[in-house]
Amino acid sequence: MGSNLHAISLFGTLGMALLVIAIRMKASKRPINAMKILMPPIGMSTGFLMFVAPLARIPVTWGLIAFAVGAVVFAYPLIRTSGFSKQGDHVYLHRSKAFLIILVVLLAIRLFLHSYVEEYVTVYQTASVFFILAFGMLLPWRVAMYVQYRKLMNS
């Protein structure tokens, strides 16, 4: 059972990562707005419902550490490589050439850490820790993007 959950988790992570990369690559071709920036963390926040299940619960300190690692280590390179350009009345996401490389490196680090952490805690707790880490990465990145977007719209 455990190896099946591990395989599902691994393929789910890889699938979602590839989906995010594909979406991000297409996004730079269309104008962006505040909703497109803010909806991903709002939609992802529904994942916190996993903590209703006792198997997914983790100590608060683990959650705080996971969020901090996501916010400090993983969000920073994404914030630095995400920019916007204004063309007429529209704002476009300006993708750095390093963005794809950074996403792939972050994915590799996350997969390595996932395997390491899973040796010490249950699959469900590992999923909880890495969900919080991902949310910790996404939230500051999107907030920074929104701030940059608002500055550009008001200029």
Side-chain angles (χ1 to χ4, degrees):
M1 177 77 174
S3 63
N4 287 341
L5 286 175
H6 179 70
I8 291 169
S9 174
L10 175 65
F11 287 116
T13 299
L14 286 173
M16 290 305 291
L18 292 174
L19 181 64
V20 166
I21 289 169
I23 290 169
R24 296 288 298 147
M25 295 306 191
K26 285 175 83 176
S28 63
K29 296 177 182 159
R30 289 187 227 121
I32 196 154
N33 59 42
M35 282 303 243
K36 288 180 182 178
I37 295 169
L38 297 175
M39 282 310 295
I42 291 168
M44 187 177 177
S45 67
T46 62
F48 282 102
L49 288 172
M50 81 169 73
F51 294 106
V52 170
L55 289 173
R57 294 183 188 150
I58 57 172
V60 173
T61 53
W62 295 9
L64 293 173
I65 291 168
F67 187 89
V69 168
V72 175
V73 176
F74 289 87
Y76 181 75
L78 295 174
I79 291 168
R80 297 286 299 156
T81 58
S82 296
F84 296 101
S85 61
K86 194 170 183 182
Q87 297 173 9
D89 291 337
H90 299 290
V91 175
Y92 291 86
L93 181 63
H94 178 69
R95 169 182 64 180
S96 164
K97 292 177 182 171
F99 184 78
L100 180 60
I101 294 166
I102 289 168
L103 278 180
V104 171
V105 168
L106 290 175
L107 174 63
I109 291 168
R110 186 178 182 277
L111 289 174
F112 169 76
L113 287 174
H114 194 279
S115 296
Y116 177 76
V117 169
E118 198 170 72
E119 290 180 22
Y120 300 99
V121 299
T122 69
V123 172
Y124 302 104
Q125 290 174 322
T126 302
S128 297
V129 167
F130 280 90
F131 170 79
I132 293 172
L133 182 135
F135 191 77
M137 175 186 72
L138 184 68
L139 185 64
W141 175 35
R142 292 303 179 129
V143 167
M145 286 174 68
Y146 180 73
V147 168
Q148 187 179 2
Y149 171 82
R150 294 301 304 166
K151 283 182 184 175
L152 191 58
M153 288 303 290
N154 292 331
S155 65

